[in-house]
Amino acid sequence: MTDTANNTDPKNNTILFPMKHRKGKIRHVAAIFAKKRGKDREAYWRRTVENMRKQAVSAGIAPEVVELHVSEFSAAVALEATSYEPNRKDSQKV
């Protein structure tokens, strides 16, 4: 029996690893995101998320599942990015 909740093709057995658990990717993106400002930050974020979407969809993951994972990833990056802010007293990653 195929898990069709994670993909669009019933013959495709691809399961998407939860993006919110990709700790290395989250830290990497958060560090770069925290350094950028304005349009550069917006463009970096759009490229990052679009690339993740394209990879997941090309693997056969249903768009609604991809959006859920991207949303969870976004929240994780936002939380991680706060630790890179130079004005935080408890920041250890600058």
Side-chain angles (χ1 to χ4, degrees), residues 34-67:
K35 291 177 186 175
K36 294 186 178 287
R37 297 288 177 257
K39 290 183 179 185
D40 286 341
R41 178 184 260 192
E42 293 170 20
Y44 173 72
W45 183 250
R46 273 194 311 275
R47 281 192 313 272
T48 300
V49 171
E50 187 58 32
N51 287 338
M52 293 177 80
R53 281 187 182 113
K54 285 179 182 178
Q55 288 175 348
V57 169
S58 70
I61 306 299
E64 59 274 7
V65 173
V66 173
E67 289 309 312

Side-chain angles (χ1 to χ4, degrees), residues 3-24:
D3 177 11
T4 57
N6 273 341
N7 59 55
T8 55
D9 181 0
K11 296 175 187 169
N12 183 346
N13 292 323
T14 304
I15 297 172
L16 183 63
F17 183 81
M19 291 179 187
K20 67 181 178 182
H21 294 302
R22 294 182 65 185
K23 300 300 184 192

